[in-house]
Every structure is written in structure tokens, then in C-alpha cells.
Amino acid sequence: MERCTVDDVKEERMLCERGFTLIELMISIVISLVIIVAGYTVLTATHRATISNERAVGTQQNVRVAMELIARDIKQAGFGMPGAPNTPVGGTAGNCATGTTNAAIRPVDNNSAIPLTAVNDTGADTISLVVPRTNPTNGAIPGWVLASAVPTGGAGSFSTITLTATAVTEMQNEGMQDGSGAYISLGGVITVPVTSSVGATITLGTPTYTPINFPAGTQVYLLQCVTYQVATGAANCGSAGPCLTRTVDSGTAPTITTSLVDGVEDLQFAYGCDGCNGTINSGIPDGVIDDFNANNTFDVADFQTNRVWAFGTFDPATIRLAQINIVARQTAIDQGTGEGIRPGAFSTPLQVSDHLPSNDPGYAAATYNSFRRRFLTRTVDTRNMQ
């Protein structure tokens, strides 16, 4: 404000003030509001963009973690398991058995029609695998190991092994039951059944003859059947879901299901086999993936999906390659980057292999389109299949 005074010649000094007019005040308020709104808009957009980016990164991490977990177990599937009619896990093979025949890999395609058509899945596929289990420890000794070497005294065979400390109890807690047909593996070299276990000693089902000596500290594995599948709901995922779960089936022990990765909503598999098609090389494995389209080239058409894999038809024991397809979505609806709290519209139904989500029961386009998604595919060599 500017202060002024009247002429000094006057007897009375008057103080006068010149202020803002109403119009000037209103213009100032409008300019201030414009600046505040612009700043708030930028701040809101920045904040929402940060949240959106974090969710996108989280989704990308989730799909990669899911891929690593499944690929690792597919690579280990089999792990020296004996052939039928022996069982590779405690008591029964659980989900790893197709009928009465055990399988290192048991694919289950979520198809909805017989005969099968090109695109008819109504949900995610499932896969069950026989894999080795060992118990990690925080000490210097890694997991379950031999406490003493076998065979001893120059003997050419052995029928018992001695493990360290609480190893046998821990393996029993994981499903190894006496006389149930549970199988253990010594160092991944030999796989043998368990007859009984007490204290720190395990008695094997048959005497083991081998020219190999297993020193103290050799890793001991318990074979188990694990199943990967997509689940929903708080009871399975801890939230509304969806999520990737892993169920451990040791035969006689209760199954244990664990929610592993949030946001995984689709899981599709395709398989390359050697000897599964009786019309190719008379169904005799020859070290080459069966050429289903007869073009003398390995290509995507040689991967099989929408099949009922079972002994005597498409035998799962002939699987040599597994193509894994995973779709993960954000765990919360994306609200976009503007001021309005409105779900975005991001994607049309993403067809993966033989699954088109819009064919699923209860599909709602508005809900589906409100989530960002990440898709990852990988082909894995089933290197331990026998």
C-alpha cells in the first residue's frame, strides 16, 4: 500500500491510503486459483503416474517370478524316479499319477469340449511334477545329508543310510512314511524306496548295489509331487486374487497349498513330445520332437495343447519340451493418471494358446479391461525326464 500526506502548510496532517479496487482483488484471486489448480493437477498426475508405474513394474516382477518357479521344477521333473508300477512319492503319486500310472509330468488342459476344438479352454491349465525336495538349513551343512559314508567296510551294497540330526524327522514331516513307497534320491545319482525310518536311520526297500561310494555330506532328496495352478479368493490367495499356487503332495501326508505369486490369472502349457504320436515313426522315440505338420522343421505347430495326456495315448513320459505361457495382471484396478478416479480401459481379451478369456463363464468386459497385464512365454527342456 502507498502512504501519502497532505501539504505541510496545512495545520492538520492527514493520512490517506490508496487500496486495491474490487476488480483488482477478484483478478488476483482468479490468478491464484489458476496457479493452485494447475499445481494440484500436476501433482495429482505425477502421483498417479508413479503409482501406475509401480504397479506395472510389480506386475512384470510377478510374472517373471512365476516363470522362474515353474521353469525350475519342470527342468527337475523326474529326477531319477522309477518307472511304473513303482510310485515316486509317498504312498501314491497323488496328482502326478494319470490313472494308476505315475508320471514325472502330468499336464491337465482346461478344455471344455470333446471333441476338442481350436479355442475352447475356459480357464488356466494345471501341471503336476515329480520334483526333489531338500530342507535348507542356516548352518554349514546344506539340507538333508548323509552323516556317514555308504557303503562301509568295502561292501558292495547297502540297505540302510544314516542322516544327520533331525533330518529323518523333518523328512517324515514332509510326507515320508514307513512302508508307503516314498522315494529318496542320493545326490541325484540313485533313487530308492523307503521301507522304514527311525531315529537317524532310513532302511531302503531293496539292497542297493553300486560301484559309487557316497561320502558323508552327500545330499539326500525326498521326491514329491507338486501342482501349479491359478486360484482366486481370499481363502486361496489371501486376497480376492487371482494368484499362482503350489500344492505339495507327498502321498500319505496331507497336501499343503501355498500362494506363491499375486496377480497371475492365466497359465497355459504346450508340449513337444518324442514318441507320443503313433503315426510318426511308429510311435518310437528317436531323439527328435514329433513333426506333427510333417514339414521336416521344428516349429510352433509341433507343440501340442488341448490334449488328454495319459499312458497309452499321449504318454506324458514322452514330453521333452514344455512351453510355458503366463499372464499376470495388476493386483488393483488402475485409476489412470488424471484427477477423475475412473478405471482405465487397457486391453481386449488376450488369447493365450487355446484360451480366450471372453469364452470363460462370468466374463465381464468392463472388469477385464480395467487391469493392465503382462504376458511372458518360455520354452523349457525337460532335462531330467527318463
Side-chain angles (χ1 to χ4, degrees):
M1 308 294 290
E2 183 180 348
R3 184 183 295 269
C4 64
T5 60
V6 299
D7 199 337
D8 290 340
V9 298
K10 293 185 177 180
E11 293 181 358
E12 294 184 1
R13 301 179 59 86
M14 298 180 62
L15 182 66
C16 63
E17 295 182 349
R18 188 171 58 200
F20 292 117
T21 67
L22 180 60
I23 294 177
E24 289 173 333
L25 183 61
M26 292 179 65
I27 292 174
S28 299
I29 293 174
V30 170
I31 293 174
S32 299
L33 288 175
V34 169
I35 294 173
I36 292 173
V37 170
Y40 179 78
T41 301
V42 171
L43 181 62
T44 299
T46 301
H47 177 64
R48 292 193 180 279
T50 300
I51 294 176
S52 181
N53 289 336
E54 288 177 349
R55 287 175 176 172
V57 170
T59 304
Q60 186 71 20
Q61 291 175 338
N62 285 349
V63 74
R64 291 186 180 277
V65 168
M67 180 63 75
E68 291 300 325
L69 292 172
I70 297 174
R72 178 198 62 188
D73 278 347
I74 288 179
K75 291 176 183 178
Q76 296 185 105
F79 206 77
M81 63 173 280
N86 299 311
T87 53
V89 293
T92 63
N95 283 335
C96 287
T98 57
T100 59
T101 303
N102 306 308
I105 294 180
R106 181 182 180 239
V108 178
D109 193 77
N110 195 340
N111 49 50
S112 62
I114 299 294
L116 305 177
T117 57
V119 179
N120 60 12
D121 271 15
T122 56
D125 291 346
T126 299
I127 190 170
S128 298
L129 310 157
V130 172
V131 297
R133 171 77 165 95
T134 187
N135 190 45
T137 64
N138 295 323
I141 300 176
W144 301 323
V145 296
L146 293 178
S148 57
V150 289
T152 59
S157 66
F158 59 94
S159 58
T160 61
I161 58 174
T162 302
L163 278 66
T164 56
T166 60
V168 170
T169 300
E170 292 168 352
M171 295 174 79
Q172 290 171 340
N173 291 337
E174 290 290 332
M176 184 183 73
Q177 303 295 323
D178 292 350
S180 66
Y183 274 80
I184 60 172
S185 176
L186 301 184
V189 177
I190 61 170
T191 302
V192 288
V194 174
T195 297
S196 63
S197 55
V198 59
T201 301
I202 294 177
T203 300
L204 308 178
T206 56
T208 300
Y209 297 87
T210 175
I212 301 174
N213 293 321
F214 296 94
T218 298
Q219 194 88 49
V220 179
Y221 303 93
L222 173 65
L223 298 192
Q224 294 179 319
C225 176
V226 300
T227 299
Y228 287 98
Q229 57 189 345
V230 172
T232 58
N236 298 312
C237 302
S239 62
C243 66
L244 176 69
T245 65
R246 185 177 189 264
T247 299
V248 177
D249 181 357
S250 293
T252 56
T255 59
I256 300 174
T257 299
T258 304
S259 173
L260 294 180
V261 185
D262 290 333
V264 176
E265 70 172 4
D266 200 2
L267 188 61
Q268 298 293 322
F269 296 95
Y271 304 92
C273 55
D274 178 17
C276 64
N277 190 338
T279 64
I280 300 175
N281 198 35
S282 301
I284 300 173
D286 57 1
V288 178
I289 299 298
D290 287 353
D291 185 12
F292 275 78
N293 58 357
N295 64 352
N296 295 319
T297 302
F298 174 68
D299 52 30
V300 67
D302 297 325
F303 280 105
Q304 297 302 296
T305 185
N306 254 347
R307 295 288 185 185
V308 179
W309 294 85
F311 180 75
T313 55
F314 274 75
D315 191 344
T318 64
I319 293 174
R320 295 295 176 263
L321 294 174
Q323 183 188 75
I324 312 167
N325 302 288
I326 301 177
V327 177
R329 77 181 193 193
Q330 294 183 176
T331 54
I333 293 177
D334 200 305
Q335 300 296 338
T337 58
E339 292 182 60
I341 303 178
R342 297 186 301 272
F346 300 106
S347 59
T348 56
L350 177 62
Q351 181 177 333
V352 179
S353 187
D354 57 346
H355 179 217
L356 184 60
S358 57
N359 290 338
D360 295 351
Y363 169 81
T367 301
Y368 184 93
N369 295 340
S370 298
F371 293 89
R372 296 178 189 267
R373 288 170 172 78
R374 292 293 183 270
F375 168 67
L376 190 61
T377 183
R378 182 184 300 177
T379 299
V380 178
D381 182 7
T382 58
R383 61 190 184 193
N384 283 320
M385 293 282 286
Q386 295 185 0

